[in-house]
Amino acid sequence: MKTRLLACNCNGTVDLDGAALGRAFPVPVTSLPVARELCRREVSRFLGELDGTDDLLITCTQESAMFSEIAGARDAAAPIRFVNIREQAGWGEQGADAGPKMAALVAMAAAGGIDPVPAVSYRSSGRVLVVGEGPDALEWAGRLAGPLSVTVLMSRSRGAALPALRDWPVLSGTLLSLTGWLGEFEARWRQDNPIDLDACVRCAACIEACPEGAIGADFQVDTLRCRAHRACVAACGGIGAIDFTRADRERSEKFDLVFDLRERSMFDCKVAPQSDICERCPLMSRAGVAFDVHQPPQGYFHPGRDPSAGMEQALRLVAMVGEFEKPKFFRYREKTCAHGRNGIEGCNACVEVCSTRAIESAGDAIRVEPHLCMGCGGCTTVCPSGAISYAYPTPIRLGAQIRYGLAAYHDRGGRNACLLVHDAEAGKALIESLARPAGRLHGPASVPPAGRGLPARVIPLAVHHVGSFGIDLALSAIAFGASQVVVLASPGIAPQYREATEAQFAIAQTLLDALGNRGRRFAVIDGADPHWIDTLFDLEPVMGIAQPATYALSEDKRRSIEFAVDHLLEQARAGGFAVPRSVPFPAGAPFGALKVDRDACTLCLACIGACPESALLDNPDSPQLRFIERNCVQCGLCLKTCPEQAITMEPRYVFTEETRTPVVLAEAQPFACIGCGKPFGTRAMIDRMLGRLAGHSMFGGEAARRLQMCADCRVIDMVSNPTESTIFDFTGGKPS
């Protein structure tokens, strides 16, 4: 199916000549005549294209809402997509030279799309927990009580008078933990005050009875003023709402939403759990959700005590009633996960990087809670094996966009392409604001505004979250012809994602340096820096490879990396560069070899059972430990499993074919059974076993001899040996 391209030069402010839109694209695109005022006087041209069934691509995002509304009113069958070639290419200091970039943007948009993924569902009926100090919580509860079902938890009453009408529950206590997500929150709190507000009928008898005046309109006992007369207990009588010796003080309840008015969020704790200290902490408890959560779960709102933030978040809060869906952003293959084997922990990278704590250890595997996952994709970036992969979109889809976009760029004469990866919301806004200067003159435009815009060689690529852009995509972008790859980290991004991306880029840069691709190829730019665009303009261009690759990325992350490195290796050798046999990496890199101390290794082969990637193999015909380096992810499970501590890791990347064939790490002389002569172990293992058991009371004489027999001969010897004791020797002989 072809894509119909309907381009507009926005009243002549975008020079489309250099884009050569009439020329063939690497993807099926039919270019329609260029419009000048498509969103106004030429809207009939858009209407005329709605009768088709091929995809319709509009080069304008500013009026996407209007075009979509028109298409909906006409029940148009054609899928409609939009691409911004104005702010991202045509407007800016170098807009006149941005024709190749416009063609790249069109090609990437035509090849874009999202593959079908499962949906994650939420259901909220509007049960909201409002937690905070009494005056704040009660005021906001009154505002929210109309559209939502409110429950108030006063962390401190501050003397706030309770409402005259009991329209919604008012509780008091310390919030200990909060788990769950939109529609499934569970709050656990400790009731600290002797008066249980849920049981209290607010008759005020306790207030009148208290001789110290320690109980006010908030119906809470001021323990600093109370002198333990207990007159209030007697006044309360059979109601039983006041109990100074209450043993069961913990309460829990489920809610759909949480509106947290305290100064500090439930997810602000930056320290590790410390014994019973956490039980006394007003923020968290050991039983609470994970510590140091950068992005709280959906349905949790924390305006604090800021009135403007409270109003903004309250508007969002009241809209969170009903049924909602989001994509399931990830795929997980437990078989290749290197998290653990046989109770031994190996790789923990995804658990550590997740900013929502959606990932937790589940024995030898991991468990990902899709309701907490926000689609950052950091787990897929740091996963060394590709056991967890991104699905929104898949690397195959995103790789195709990059390949087609760079092909169109080069076809129009573009050089030294720099791919700028950004997220589809905050990053996109940062980029497009560059071409929209404040104080623009009124009236029809005839030339582009004076905004700086992006450099002509910088091609923006929107992704759901930049944390999902890993080494497989970065190296493939270079193999497809990009000279550089830059990630724009939006303000507020979790720091661990930037660190993970920089670590991945460091590995990729090491590989490219070894292949003769000198110069800075990768960078992460901080979008919170007001001068981030200067960093991009100052990035010195480097030359890309002579012949771009045409492969499609694989579902297997490591195979995609191999495709990229193999192509870059071929290009390096074709250019006469002397490629080294291997390049070393620092510890933690996902590539490398294993070394085995042959003197210490007994060939017990426990390491083979621990390896999740089939990097370690035995030999059915000979006592050997073999190794396929291309499969090794350096998880360390074999090292931790080895009873003799005979294994060490060597992080590196080897550019020769030897990594794809098994090599022998250790072998030993087989030990033949002294009974039948059949090999059943190694001589080193039998000798070591005999040495360790020498002198043991249970392995003397014939027992030690049997250790040198195979399993069959051992049984035969025990049955046929006349000197062997049997049970009948101790029961008075054989039965008649």
Side-chain angles (χ1 to χ4, degrees):
M1 183 175 290
K2 285 190 174 183
T3 297
R4 294 168 294 154
L5 174 64
L6 187 51
C8 178
N9 63 23
C10 197
N11 200 26
T13 61
V14 178
D15 183 0
L16 296 175
D17 293 341
L21 300 180
R23 189 186 300 178
F25 280 85
V27 285
V29 173
T30 300
S31 185
L32 304 172
V34 174
R36 184 181 180 89
E37 300 176 48
L38 184 63
C39 62
R40 294 297 182 264
R41 288 189 291 183
E42 295 179 273
V43 72
S44 59
R45 298 217 17 222
F46 171 72
L47 293 170
E49 297 297 332
L50 293 179
D51 295 332
T53 57
D54 289 339
D55 289 9
L56 184 59
L57 180 61
I58 311 295
T59 64
C60 174
T61 55
Q62 174 181 287
E63 303 294 342
S64 58
M66 183 198 74
F67 288 127
S68 298
E69 182 180 354
I70 293 173
R74 293 284 297 269
D75 294 326
I80 301 176
R81 290 198 293 256
F82 303 90
V83 59
N84 187 350
I85 65 171
R86 189 178 71 175
E87 283 86 354
Q88 295 188 355
W91 284 4
E93 290 180 1
Q94 301 180 9
D97 301 321
K101 175 164 65 171
M102 296 180 200
L105 293 172
V106 168
M108 289 194 296
I114 299 295
D115 297 313
V117 295
V120 179
S121 300
Y122 299 85
R123 177 176 295 177
S124 167
S125 59
R127 299 168 301 161
V128 59
L129 174 66
V130 179
V131 56
E133 296 187 354
D136 300 330
L138 293 173
E139 179 183 357
W140 274 106
R143 297 177 183 179
L144 298 171
L148 300 173
S149 175
V150 174
T151 297
V152 170
L153 177 63
M154 296 190 298
S155 55
R156 285 182 291 184
S157 64
R158 296 289 192 189
L162 300 189
L165 300 178
R166 200 172 194 137
D167 292 334
W168 19 267
V170 179
L171 311 170
S172 69
T174 299
L175 186 60
L176 298 175
S177 69
L178 184 66
T179 57
W181 49 83
L182 173 63
E184 290 291 338
F185 283 110
E186 182 172 0
R188 185 173 68 88
W189 67 92
R190 181 180 59 240
Q191 183 176 313
D192 298 319
N193 203 272
I195 299 182
D196 184 348
L197 292 180
D198 195 34
C200 177
V201 297
R202 306 179 192 173
C203 64
C206 58
I207 298 177
E208 296 180 6
C210 180
E212 292 91 9
I215 305 175
D218 57 356
F219 289 92
Q220 296 285 274
V221 176
D222 184 344
T223 54
L224 296 178
R225 299 172 63 184
C226 177
R227 295 295 178 266
H229 292 92
R230 301 299 188 262
C232 56
V233 178
C236 188
I239 300 297
I242 307 178
D243 187 349
F244 285 83
T245 61
R246 183 179 291 109
D248 182 16
R249 298 167 58 196
E250 287 198 4
R251 305 285 186 271
S252 65
E253 193 169 338
K254 290 193 173 184
F255 300 93
D256 299 317
L257 302 157
V258 178
F259 198 59
D260 193 345
L261 298 165
R262 298 171 302 168
E263 289 187 3
R264 300 201 55 189
S265 164
M266 195 67 189
F267 302 91
D268 278 346
C269 185
K270 302 293 183 183
V271 299
Q274 299 180 21
S275 186
D276 63 338
I277 294 176
C278 299
E279 290 291 352
R280 302 193 300 271
C281 175
L283 293 175
M284 189 66 69
S285 78
R286 286 176 294 167
V289 293
F291 293 77
D292 189 13
V293 177
H294 185 271
Q295 190 169 8
Q298 289 177 320
Y300 176 84
F301 297 86
H302 178 247
R305 305 192 68 183
D306 184 346
S308 60
M311 186 61 67
E312 176 189 351
Q313 296 195 32
L315 291 174
R316 294 167 50 203
L317 180 77
V318 297
M320 301 294 283
V321 179
E323 295 186 6
F324 306 91
E325 286 187 348
K326 72 174 183 183
K328 185 179 179 182
F329 294 102
F330 64 92
R331 295 172 182 165
Y332 176 57
R333 294 178 297 167
E334 182 179 335
K335 181 180 179 181
T336 58
C337 179
H339 177 65
R341 284 294 185 275
N342 305 317
I344 298 174
E345 185 177 283
C347 174
N348 207 39
C350 60
V351 178
E352 294 172 352
V353 80
C354 182
S355 68
T356 65
R357 295 299 183 256
I359 308 177
E360 63 180 5
S361 176
D364 290 342
I366 60 168
R367 181 185 298 113
V368 187
E369 176 47 67
H371 292 89
L372 293 176
C373 174
M374 297 294 187
C376 65
C379 54
T380 69
T381 292
V382 300
C383 179
S385 66
I388 187 165
S389 59
Y390 206 67
Y392 192 78
T394 63
I396 296 176
R397 170 78 69 172
L398 194 57
Q401 282 186 267
I402 297 171
R403 184 172 79 252
Y404 292 138
L406 290 170
Y409 179 83
H410 294 133
D411 182 66
R412 270 68 173 179
R415 300 177 59 192
N416 303 330
C418 174
L419 192 68
L420 178 63
V421 183
H422 63 90
D423 68 69
E425 294 184 3
K428 178 184 176 183
L430 282 174
I431 291 171
E432 295 183 354
S433 65
L434 297 173
R436 295 175 181 157
R440 176 174 175 172
L441 297 175
H442 296 287
S446 58
V447 295
R452 192 173 191 188
L454 289 174
R457 73 183 190 93
V458 174
I459 305 172
L461 173 67
V463 295
H464 182 75
H465 194 289
V466 295
S468 64
F469 197 87
I471 188 173
D472 52 337
L473 289 164
L475 285 173
S476 292
I478 300 297
F480 292 149
S483 65
Q484 291 163 312
V485 175
V486 175
V487 165
L488 176 60
S490 301
I493 188 174
Q496 58 263 42
Y497 295 138
R498 176 169 181 169
E499 293 168 4
T501 301
E502 289 173 338
Q504 295 276 302
F505 281 2
I507 294 172
Q509 184 70 56
T510 301
L511 287 170
L512 291 183
D513 287 344
L515 294 171
N517 295 275
R518 303 296 182 181
R520 189 181 183 187
R521 301 283 173 166
F522 305 98
V524 179
I525 294 179
D526 185 3
D529 181 355
H531 304 293
W532 69 267
I533 187 58
D534 296 332
T535 305
L536 196 57
F537 269 93
D538 294 341
L539 185 64
E540 185 176 351
V542 292
M543 186 179 297
I545 61 175
Q547 183 62 47
T550 58
Y551 66 83
L553 269 74
S554 168
E555 291 185 357
D556 186 326
K557 174 181 180 178
R558 294 180 70 85
R559 298 296 83 81
S560 294
I561 295 172
E562 279 187 5
F563 292 162
V565 173
D566 287 350
H567 181 79
L568 294 169
L569 175 63
E570 178 184 337
Q571 292 296 301
R573 288 173 175 165
F577 183 77
V579 179
R581 175 182 173 274
S582 66
V583 58
F585 284 132
F591 309 102
L594 298 178
K595 291 183 177 180
V596 174
D597 183 346
R598 296 195 175 200
D599 294 332
C601 177
T602 63
L603 284 180
C604 68
L605 305 184
C607 53
I608 294 177
C611 181
E613 312 302 331
S614 300
L616 289 168
L617 310 168
D618 63 353
N619 187 336
D621 300 322
S622 179
Q624 288 182 339
L625 174 63
R626 299 185 298 166
F627 175 64
I628 302 177
E629 185 168 336
R630 75 182 299 205
N631 293 347
C632 180
V633 300
Q634 300 281 287
C635 64
L637 281 170
C638 56
L639 184 151
K640 296 177 182 178
T641 300
C642 179
E644 312 299 339
Q645 298 182 348
I647 302 176
T648 55
M649 297 188 296
E650 182 185 3
R652 67 179 187 179
Y653 195 96
V654 176
F655 296 107
T656 61
E657 292 292 323
E658 67 187 63
T659 63
R660 306 184 185 189
T661 56
V663 296
V664 177
L665 294 182
E667 58 184 337
Q669 179 184 352
F671 185 88
C673 172
I674 62 174
C676 66
K678 180 178 68 177
F680 75 98
T682 68
R683 176 164 293 279
M685 181 178 66
I686 299 299
D687 289 346
R688 185 166 299 185
M689 182 170 57
L690 290 172
R692 289 183 176 181
L693 296 176
H696 195 286
S697 59
M698 302 224 19
F699 292 95
E702 291 296 321
R705 181 173 166 273
R706 291 195 187 105
L707 291 176
Q708 303 174 62
M709 295 181 182
C710 67
D712 294 338
C713 291
R714 199 174 302 139
V715 174
I716 294 172
D717 185 72
M718 292 176 64
V719 173
S720 61
N721 193 335
T723 63
E724 182 73 23
S725 297
T726 70
I727 191 173
F728 302 116
D729 296 331
F730 305 96
T731 58
K734 296 181 179 181
S736 57

